[in-house]
């Protein structure tokens, strides 16, 4: 048995340099839009922590950091069911808020999170995601204001993305070998 997690990657989609290059471009966009707004940057734990950390190091203007742990309820037609296991520490009313997330798949988590945070009356609310999964027409359509990559509809791992909580610390984003999960 090998301990080299890279062996479990079928194909690398984005290497370290490509990831950092794209994050720098997103940081430039955010800087243009938020440098005078002292935004609250909300990290959606756990997966987004790598992206969040690299992104914020490239933002050279005042901001507040905050974190939320949440998951969506699937199954019903619900629009507001979000299980929050750790909520924000800041009050966001009247503040400019940017949600920083690792991936939008079906869109349900983000749909519910947006509804939840909007009800707290922020001055503005925008969404910044590293990856938007290309699954065709999404059932839960959410606005994505800043998007790093559109990724194919495969099992992706690395740079925060996991399979049973493994592979998050790989420095690249890649497709998991099918033999690992079948
Ligand atoms: C992942 C991801 C998003 C959500 C996207 O979270 O981080 O929050 O799924 O899927 P959706 O668009 O279909 O709702 P996960 O529950 O795997 O938690 P993690 O961040 O801890 O990996």
């Amino acid at each position: 048995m090998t301990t080299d997690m890279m062996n479990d990657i079928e194909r690398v989609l984005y290497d370290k340099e490509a990831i950092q290059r794209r994050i720098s471009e997103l940081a430039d966009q955010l800087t243009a839009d938020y440098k005078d707004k002292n935004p609250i940057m909300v990290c959606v734990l756990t997966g987004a922590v790598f992206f969040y950390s690299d992104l914020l190091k490239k933002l050279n203007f005042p901001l507040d950091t905050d974190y939320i742990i949440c998951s969506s309820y699937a199954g019903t037609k619900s629009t507001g069911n979000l299980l929050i296991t750790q909520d924000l520490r800041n009050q966001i009313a009247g503040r400019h808020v940017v949600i920083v997330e690792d991936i939008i798949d079906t869109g349900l988590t983000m749909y519910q999170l947006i509804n939840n945070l909007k009800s707290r009356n922020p001055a503005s609310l925008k969404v910044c995601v590293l990856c938007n999964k290309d699954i065709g027409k999404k059932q839960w359509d959410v606005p994505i204001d800043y998007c790093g990559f559109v990724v194919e509809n495969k099992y992706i791992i690395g740079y925060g993305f996991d399979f049973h909580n493994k592979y998050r610390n790989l420095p690249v984003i890649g497709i998991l070998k099918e033999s690992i999960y079948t």
Side-chain angles (χ1 to χ4, degrees):
M1 182 186 136
T2 174
T3 55
D4 185 350
M5 295 188 297
M6 288 295 284
N7 288 333
D8 295 347
I9 292 182
E10 180 70 48
R11 178 159 45 94
V12 171
L13 294 177
Y14 302 103
D15 64 15
K16 280 185 205 175
E17 291 72 30
I19 293 170
Q20 292 308 317
R21 233 181 358 254
R22 187 67 189 117
I23 293 177
S24 293
E25 291 170 357
L26 292 176
D28 288 347
Q29 281 181 265
L30 285 162
T31 300
D33 296 347
Y34 286 95
K35 62 181 181 307
D36 302 317
K37 291 188 172 159
N38 190 27
I40 301 179
M41 306 295 292
V42 172
C43 179
V44 185
L45 296 170
T46 303
V49 73
F50 296 82
F51 173 44
Y52 185 80
S53 168
D54 284 343
L55 178 68
L56 264 62
K57 282 182 278 185
K58 296 176 196 284
L59 300 180
N60 185 20
F61 57 84
L63 53 80
D64 284 319
T65 57
D66 212 336
Y67 305 86
I68 191 165
I69 302 178
C70 61
S71 52
S72 51
Y73 286 78
T76 68
K77 268 193 150 186
S78 65
T79 54
N81 287 338
L82 188 72
L83 176 65
I84 298 178
T85 47
Q86 182 187 302
D87 206 349
L88 302 176
R89 301 180 76 162
N90 288 271
Q91 302 295 321
I92 64 169
R95 298 289 304 272
H96 296 284
V97 175
V98 180
I99 304 172
V100 180
E101 174 64 297
D102 56 357
I103 193 162
I104 307 254
D105 188 346
T106 66
L108 180 59
T109 307
M110 187 56 74
Y111 184 84
Q112 294 184 341
L113 182 58
I114 287 173
N115 280 342
N116 184 291
L117 296 188
K118 263 191 184 162
S119 73
R120 308 184 198 191
N121 298 315
S124 68
L125 183 63
K126 300 272 175 163
V127 174
C128 176
V129 295
L130 181 60
C131 295
N132 182 17
K133 195 174 261 192
D134 185 6
I135 59 167
K137 181 159 170 40
K138 291 193 192 276
Q139 187 183 355
W140 308 96
D141 206 11
V142 292
I144 304 178
D145 304 286
Y146 308 90
C147 177
F149 305 110
V150 175
V151 295
E152 54 197 281
N153 191 8
K154 294 267 169 63
Y155 211 115
I156 65 168
I157 53 167
Y159 198 72
F161 299 113
D162 73 304
F163 173 65
H164 291 329
N165 220 20
K166 188 179 172 187
Y167 305 111
R168 289 194 199 270
N169 55 322
L170 277 173
V172 305
I173 298 173
I175 295 173
L176 182 63
K177 279 184 181 161
E178 227 176 291
S179 58
I180 305 290
Y181 60 89
T182 49

